[in-house]
Amino acid sequence: MTAMSGSAARSGPAEPPQAVDPADMEQTGPPPGQDAAELCEQARDLAESGHVARAAALYRRAAATGPGPRTLARALLGLAVTEDQRGDTAASREAARRAVATGDARYAPRAAYHLALSLEQGGEQEEAERTWLRLLDLGGAAYTAVARYGLARAAEARGDAAAAEEHWEAALSLPPDPSAMDRLHAATVVEAARDLAGRLLERGLPGAAVAAAERGLAVTDDPGLRLARAAARLEHAVADLGAILERDPEETGGRAEPGTAGAAVEILSGLLALRGDPPSAHQVWRRGLEDPDRDTAAEVRRRLRLGFASQEREGTPPWWDPYLEEAVATVSAPALAGELFAALTQMHSLLALPLAEGEQDPARLRAAMHQALLTPSDLVWGPDLHADFRRRLGAAAGRDVLPQGWPDHS
């Protein structure tokens, strides 16, 4: 494909575990006069300050005090997040499972989300999918979209296209007033739209990719979605331009006019180069230049040479024209320019040094000039440079005055 691809699932809290000092070690026994809610507040402050080990210990003690369902769910969610930050995946998942089991309307969905992402990223797809289904039952439009997005990824992973399509559709469904969506719901729709657009582009379905991107753009003006839509439209343009050049005269009522075909070659080649496919761009130019219709081939060549300086002498193009044409057609003009500047720099150095040092020995001056002349010899265009000088000198002298193999074997 192109520049787009399906994005990976979002991760849970990603801060690395902090180093643990002796003060971070778990204490035994609940502190006198503190209830579970107070412990959760303290744990949250510690976690935000980077003391995740001490925070995990307080969340664990808060859960052990036997609080009500809401505080228990909060403590277990906090424990799941901090254990994840510490790198203890098993403990994190166990705490998340316990939080989900409380069924609390506020914290259980968050715990299910955290657990499902952890399982998905760990390759445990079956349990991840069961957790996404559980999240569907926990309520709320935002978490419904989150769950549907997860289920769409799961269906894609197991190759169930029908189920994936159903879940993508549900994940991208918008309420009557998209501006009333909460942040989680909006962010989920945008991310799902980017993901789906990339997958559709990979499958060669640019029209569907544009539609997916526009559903996300209905929520917010996201640069990633605009890029996805532009990439999809580029693929549309490539297909349309290719259809112009592949017309069968017997089936479509005639070939494209030379001006239309020439423009199609120029634009298609440019789009293919932009897409990162220089060989295909070159092939398009080459086929246009070799078109059996002389008018079309002439129009293609005219467009290929639009940026060339007019340096023809007596109707004969300069010797370097074929190299310029090839450089444009193969999207290698920067490489050719680099070769030219490198050769010019080397020739300048070889000639400038004796001049700067005031060299007067004819043999050394001649040797410097010879080395400068030899500089382009190993480059693909070097022999033609030498041959052009031989022709011009011979025309001026009325005969070929240079020895064979000059200047390499002079």
Side-chain angles (χ1 to χ4, degrees), residues 76 131 136-137 158 266 268 310 360 373:
L76 291 170
T131 306
L136 275 181
D137 297 331
R158 66 170 189 272
E266 180 185 11
L268 178 57
S310 178
Q360 297 183 9
L373 283 172

Side-chain angles (χ1 to χ4, degrees), residues 278-354:
S280 294
H282 180 210
Q283 184 180 27
V284 169
W285 277 120
R286 186 56 52 203
R287 289 178 61 185
L289 292 169
E290 297 172 355
D291 194 286
D293 181 75
R294 295 179 60 183
D295 291 339
T296 297
E299 176 64 13
V300 171
R301 174 158 273 108
R302 184 188 72 81
R303 288 179 174 273
L304 180 65
R305 298 169 55 87
L306 282 176
F308 291 14
S310 178
Q311 299 187 40
E312 295 189 6
R313 301 186 306 277
E314 300 178 355
T316 303
W319 67 267
W320 56 81
D321 260 25
Y323 298 103
L324 292 181
E325 288 187 0
E326 187 72 6
V328 173
T330 58
V331 200
S332 60
L336 177 60
E339 282 186 355
L340 290 168
F341 284 122
L344 179 62
T345 299
Q346 178 67 9
M347 296 170 74
H348 182 275
S349 297
L350 289 168
L351 294 172
L353 185 60

Side-chain angles (χ1 to χ4, degrees), residues 29-51:
Q34 287 188 310
D35 62 15
E38 292 177 6
L39 289 172
C40 287
E41 288 294 326
Q42 290 184 16
R44 183 189 65 182
D45 292 341
L46 286 169
E48 290 176 350
S49 300
H51 301 286

Side-chain angles (χ1 to χ4, degrees), residues 134-404:
R134 178 74 179 97
L135 181 55
L136 275 181
D137 297 331
L138 292 173
Y143 283 107
T144 295
V146 167
R148 289 290 193 174
Y149 179 27
L151 289 167
R153 295 196 302 271
E156 293 271 4
R158 66 170 189 272
D160 189 341
E165 183 177 356
E166 175 187 346
H167 292 308
W168 284 120
E169 179 63 31
L172 294 176
S173 295
L174 303 180
D177 181 12
S179 64
M181 297 167 64
D182 65 24
R183 292 174 61 185
L184 175 61
H185 193 175
T188 300
V189 170
V190 169
E191 186 172 352
R194 281 199 303 259
D195 190 353
L196 179 58
R199 294 171 189 265
L200 291 169
L201 270 177
E202 288 180 341
R203 295 171 195 161
L205 300 170
V210 168
E214 287 180 342
R215 294 180 74 169
L217 287 167
V219 175
T220 186
D221 187 3
D222 178 72
L225 286 171
R226 283 191 174 272
L227 178 62
R229 185 172 65 180
R233 286 176 172 168
L234 182 149
E235 294 301 316
H236 254 155
V238 167
D240 284 342
L241 293 163
I244 293 173
L245 299 177
E246 297 296 335
R247 283 168 62 92
D248 185 339
E250 296 182 0
E251 296 182 3
T252 58
R255 293 167 50 88
E257 294 294 327
T260 300
V265 167
E266 180 185 11
I267 298 171
L268 178 57
S269 178
L271 291 179
L272 290 171
L274 182 64
R275 195 171 70 174
D277 190 1
S280 294
H282 180 210
Q283 184 180 27
V284 169
W285 277 120
R286 186 56 52 203
R287 289 178 61 185
L289 292 169
E290 297 172 355
D291 194 286
D293 181 75
R294 295 179 60 183
D295 291 339
T296 297
E299 176 64 13
V300 171
R301 174 158 273 108
R302 184 188 72 81
R303 288 179 174 273
L304 180 65
R305 298 169 55 87
L306 282 176
F308 291 14
S310 178
Q311 299 187 40
E312 295 189 6
R313 301 186 306 277
E314 300 178 355
T316 303
W319 67 267
W320 56 81
D321 260 25
Y323 298 103
L324 292 181
E325 288 187 0
E326 187 72 6
V328 173
T330 58
V331 200
S332 60
L336 177 60
E339 282 186 355
L340 290 168
F341 284 122
L344 179 62
T345 299
Q346 178 67 9
M347 296 170 74
H348 182 275
S349 297
L350 289 168
L351 294 172
L353 185 60
L355 181 63
E357 292 180 344
E359 179 62 65
Q360 297 183 9
D361 183 340
R364 291 187 178 182
L365 291 172
R366 181 181 178 83
M369 293 173 64
H370 188 222
Q371 288 300 314
L373 283 172
L374 290 176
T375 296
S377 295
D378 292 334
L379 299 171
V380 67
W381 46 267
D384 279 349
L385 172 63
H386 299 324
D388 177 71
F389 177 71
R390 175 187 289 275
R391 284 193 298 269
R392 288 187 287 112
L393 182 61
R399 61 186 178 86
D400 188 358
V401 297
L402 294 174
Q404 290 298 318

Side-chain angles (χ1 to χ4, degrees), residues 96-167:
R97 291 187 185 99
R98 291 174 60 196
V100 172
T102 67
D104 178 72
R106 180 175 181 183
Y107 296 107
R110 294 167 60 183
Y113 187 8
H114 180 89
L115 175 60
L117 284 174
S118 174
L119 292 164
E120 187 178 273
Q121 292 171 345
E124 300 181 41
Q125 298 296 338
E126 291 186 6
E127 187 180 354
E129 189 165 2
R130 291 195 299 270
T131 306
W132 291 126
L133 287 169
R134 178 74 179 97
L135 181 55
L136 275 181
D137 297 331
L138 292 173
Y143 283 107
T144 295
V146 167
R148 289 290 193 174
Y149 179 27
L151 289 167
R153 295 196 302 271
E156 293 271 4
R158 66 170 189 272
D160 189 341
E165 183 177 356
E166 175 187 346
H167 292 308

